[in-house]
Amino acid sequence: MKINKILFFAFIIFIVGCVKAPTTGSLQFSIIDDIGNPAANASVFLYNTENDFFNNRNLIASQVSDNNGVTVFTNLNPQTYYYFISRSSDCANNDFTPHTTLNSVSAGTTVTENATINETGQLNFNNASADPYKIYINGNYWGTVNGNSSATVDELVGTYSIEVRQASGFVNTPNIEDFNATVKVCSTGNVNFP
């Protein structure tokens, strides 16, 4: 009888020793739109590194959110992840919010990330001059558009104050023009100058 108890406890210890602790975790996204509604049918793209995210390569996985704006990635290594969320029906994405998880995935747990997507459109800057122009959006320098070329930027839906300043080619004073441009959902607004 004593040997049976010893064998029983030895068997239990053996079984417990064979059970491995989890090495992966899960990442749940709860996605809302810019007015607070659950963002159904939003595509979530997951990357290991910032470099992969910015270069859109080495995608780990992608999923589409359910009617509650939720998606869950499982079997992920413990670390921080980079992500991009987009919904083609209204050109909404998370370009204007963080692209990295706030918390690291932990083994054996599910980490929840709250994300917001915003409706976007584009501004297209058309420079008809042979000279380059510097572009300022709402008073902030955006970049330079070379002569006889165009450049496009994604922006949130809304109205923007645009200033274009001739960067070179002027004699005494630069040519400066001001515009108001409206960005509409899934459309491109053009700013033509000079």
Side-chain angles (χ1 to χ4, degrees), residues 2 8 12 18 21-22 26 29 36 40 42 54 62 68 82 114 117-118 139 141 144-145 147 149 154 165 172 175 194:
K2 193 171 187 175
F8 175 75
I12 295 295
C18 289
S26 300
F29 285 92
F54 281 116
S62 65
N68 297 314
Y82 292 82
N114 298 313
I117 57 174
N118 298 285
Y141 176 70
T144 299
V145 178
S149 65
D154 290 334
R165 295 181 191 171
N172 292 324
N175 184 2

Side-chain angles (χ1 to χ4, degrees), residues 31-32 38-45 62-67 69-71 84-90 92-93 117:
I31 308 163
I32 59 171
N41 299 313
S43 297
V44 182
F45 304 93
S62 65
Q63 293 186 13
V64 176
S65 62
D66 64 17
N67 288 336
V70 174
T71 184
F84 179 70
I85 303 171
S86 68
R87 185 170 63 186
S88 60
S89 64
D90 57 0
N93 61 53
I117 57 174

Side-chain angles (χ1 to χ4, degrees), residues 122-126 181 188-192:
Q122 294 182 322
L123 285 176
N124 188 45
F125 301 106
N126 299 305
T188 302
N190 288 302
V191 177
N192 302 308

Side-chain angles (χ1 to χ4, degrees), residues 10-79:
F11 178 73
I12 295 295
I13 291 170
F14 173 77
I15 294 296
V16 170
C18 289
V19 176
K20 292 185 177 181
T23 58
T24 61
S26 300
L27 178 58
Q28 174 179 305
F29 285 92
S30 293
I31 308 163
I32 59 171
D33 63 21
D34 51 358
I35 57 173
N37 295 322
N41 299 313
S43 297
V44 182
F45 304 93
L46 204 59
Y47 301 89
N48 270 323
T49 68
E50 184 177 28
N51 193 30
D52 286 345
F53 165 76
F54 281 116
N55 292 300
N56 192 25
R57 65 176 185 217
N58 301 322
L59 178 69
I60 295 172
S62 65
Q63 293 186 13
V64 176
S65 62
D66 64 17
N67 288 336
N68 297 314
V70 174
T71 184
V72 180
F73 293 89
T74 59
N75 297 319
L76 296 176
N77 292 324
Q79 69 177 57

